[in-house]
Amino acid sequence: MQKTVVVGNVRFGNHLPLSIIAGPCVLEGTGYAQGVDFAMRTAEALREMCTAVGFSLVYKSSFDKANRTSLASYRGPGLELGLRILDRVRSELAIPVVTDVHEINQAHQASAVVDMLQTPAFLCRQTDFIQAVAMTGKPVNIKKGQFLAPEDMAEVANKAFRVGNSNIMLCERGYAFGYHNLVVDMRGLDIMTDTGFPVIFDATHSVQHPGGAGQSSSGERRFVEPLARAATAVGVAGIFMETHPDPDQAPCDGPNMIPFERLPSLLWKLKRLDEVAKQ
């Protein structure tokens, strides 16, 4: 049986029309005012793009990227300030928001603000962490580890489900294939739908080259669009994309983020593909 997960006013299900999770990799700006300005501008622009196509949107941005390649990499404004910024987006624009949590002690505090929590791929086998995030009661988007076979995600989901949270989504973000390279096996998306939980495809981290630039990750954003189209044709519940007005100037993950200017065209293609896939 295919499950439905509700995030704010957005419904996710492998049997339902496609929904979009999108936003910049990390909150930007120096201080609260700049941070709010950047988040509000990007969230409002994304909402307009999605509304024009007929997609529901969950806005994604991180308050802290704790898994950066280098100590010198930009991590974000931190938990307290980041949650204040995301709360403004959620309350003033009426857009559901999701953010990453990296530690057990962040889960409760973040869950008081955001509509969904996301767990990093590297932590998908950390039982106490996964269960602590699930115990908040909020929907959880669990990213599949780059080292995990898709069928292994059934037990990861079960860890969260066993503490009483059925609002679980499973997210594919590529599999480690040699140094600095990820590949996506589209069969894995179909395999994970056998769990019944909504499956999300992360189209931008799937083209990342972890650590590929030495002191930072690189990536090949030209492959975001074909992978997103392929995943939509498989019939997933949602597409996750990190996107930015000017990715080449973004403080992190710029090489694999899609520019705002290219997003409307892609969204229309995904809309048509989804309509065919869900017939």
Side-chain angles (χ1 to χ4, degrees):
M1 179 178 179
Q2 295 298 317
K3 301 174 176 63
T4 299
V5 172
V6 181
V7 182
N9 59 354
V10 181
R11 300 170 72 239
F12 289 89
N14 301 319
H15 59 300
L16 298 176
L18 190 75
S19 292
I20 302 296
I21 303 171
C25 172
V26 66
L27 295 167
E28 299 180 21
T30 302
Y32 177 71
Q34 286 188 6
V36 166
D37 178 67
F38 177 78
M40 295 286 282
R41 283 189 293 107
T42 54
E44 192 165 21
L46 289 168
R47 181 179 63 180
E48 290 176 2
M49 291 183 221
C50 287
T51 299
V53 179
F55 279 136
S56 296
L57 169 71
V58 176
Y59 180 74
K60 183 270 170 184
S61 202
S62 299
F63 58 80
D64 180 21
K65 298 300 291 186
N67 50 355
R68 297 296 84 193
T69 301
S70 167
L71 284 172
S73 298
Y74 177 74
R75 289 180 52 166
L79 178 64
E80 301 286 346
L81 180 55
L83 290 179
R84 287 176 61 200
I85 293 169
L86 291 172
D87 189 47
R88 281 283 297 274
V89 172
R90 182 177 183 269
S91 59
E92 293 193 18
L93 297 181
I95 301 174
V97 297
V98 58
T99 196
D100 308 283
V101 290
H102 295 84
E103 301 173 8
I104 288 175
N105 60 11
Q106 294 175 342
H108 179 72
Q109 194 167 349
S111 71
V113 173
V114 302
D115 298 276
M116 180 166 64
L117 299 172
Q118 181 169 275
T119 62
F122 285 124
L123 300 180
C124 68
R125 288 180 63 89
Q126 296 298 107
T127 301
D128 292 345
F129 173 74
I130 293 294
Q131 291 195 319
V133 176
M135 286 173 66
T136 66
K138 285 296 177 79
V140 183
N141 187 32
I142 304 177
K143 287 200 171 187
K144 181 178 77 64
Q146 302 92 326
F147 44 83
L148 228 59
E151 55 266 27
D152 295 338
M153 286 299 287
E155 287 305 317
V156 177
N158 188 50
K159 291 177 181 180
F161 185 75
R162 289 293 294 272
V163 298
N165 191 339
S166 61
N167 294 312
I168 305 301
M169 304 203 295
L170 305 180
C171 183
E172 171 64 74
R173 53 95 71 231
Y175 190 86
F177 186 78
Y179 299 125
H180 304 150
N181 196 25
L182 299 170
V183 297
V184 177
D185 181 356
M186 291 295 164
R187 296 174 301 176
L189 300 173
D190 194 58
I191 290 169
M192 287 195 289
T193 63
D194 291 341
T195 66
F197 294 107
V199 174
I200 307 299
F201 178 62
D202 182 343
T204 45
H205 286 104
S206 291
V207 303
Q208 186 184 60
H209 292 176
Q215 290 192 330
S216 64
S217 293
S218 59
E220 296 182 274
R221 74 169 67 105
R222 70 189 182 100
F223 294 123
V224 170
E225 295 190 27
L227 287 176
R229 295 197 306 266
T232 301
V234 170
V236 295
I239 296 291
F240 175 109
M241 290 181 287
E242 289 189 338
T243 180
H244 194 281
D246 186 2
D248 291 334
Q249 301 303 314
C252 76
D253 276 5
N256 48 267
M257 282 198 283
I258 188 167
F260 272 20
E261 63 185 22
R262 284 169 46 185
L263 195 55
S265 172
L266 175 58
L267 291 175
W268 279 112
K269 293 172 185 175
L270 299 184
K271 181 73 170 178
R272 293 192 290 270
L273 283 166
D274 185 61
E275 289 172 348
V276 173
K278 302 282 176 66
Q279 285 181 346

